[in-house]
Amino acid sequence: MDNYEYLIAGLPVLSDDLSGQDCPSPAVLVKEIRELCSEKDNALIDTLLKGYEEENFTPEFYGAMLSHPNHFLREFFRFDLNVRNAKVRYLNESLGRPSNMDIFLEDEGEFEESGEVHRILYGPNLVSREKGLDEMMWNKIDELNTFDYFNVSTVLGYIAKLKIIDRWLKLDEATGREMFRQLVSEIRGTFKGVEFNET
């Protein structure tokens, strides 16, 4: 299916009530999205989801992602790698280890958000640091999809946000629900004033 407008507009996430039984979990939503996507799009979704599996936090995986033909996947994982390397540097400093220890595939280009990541990592507590980094990722997804309104990159970004929400529903339900509401608001804003003509 390539009719991404109807795919996203028809998702049952469009509800403000996250406590009712009719509101599906992020995992269920991802499953429903996949059922509506083509085999080609599902292959891209598979690749995105592999990035959330611990065994894929390797130079081989990120090396493949940094040369991936899909722009969203390539830049999403470039940002993810830069943030992970920044976190490793922070831990190295905290533990008195060499700063380059366990750093891999460091991006030779400028990491524009490095200052903001540094500020977040030296925040007051673990929860604020994790929230700050996830908010950065959320904003990065928006940036990557600035000109991708209704295509597979929109779907990939949507799923990446659902993964953030799913994480916070497990860590801090109130934060997860607020992120869910934010995603609902964003989707409603996307379709505000858009008319669909059936042919």
Side-chain angles (χ1 to χ4, degrees), residues 111-164:
F111 179 30
E112 296 179 359
E113 297 89 353
S114 60
E116 180 66 10
V117 172
H118 185 273
R119 183 190 67 77
I120 292 170
L121 288 174
Y122 286 85
N125 56 64
L126 179 61
V127 173
S128 68
R129 291 195 290 269
E130 291 301 311
K131 279 186 178 180
L133 292 175
D134 278 343
E135 286 172 0
M136 280 195 69
M137 179 60 82
W138 189 287
N139 293 334
K140 189 65 178 183
I141 292 167
D142 287 339
E143 178 187 319
L144 293 177
N145 279 336
T146 298
F147 301 109
D148 293 323
Y149 301 108
F150 302 117
N151 58 27
V152 69
S153 291
T154 306
V155 175
L156 293 172
Y158 188 89
I159 291 174
K161 286 184 175 181
L162 284 175
K163 294 297 288 184
I164 295 173

Side-chain angles (χ1 to χ4, degrees), residues 45-58:
I45 294 172
D46 283 338
T47 301
L48 173 66
L49 295 178
K50 285 178 183 177
Y52 295 93
E53 299 171 3
E54 190 172 352
E55 62 266 28
N56 290 323
F57 298 157
T58 64

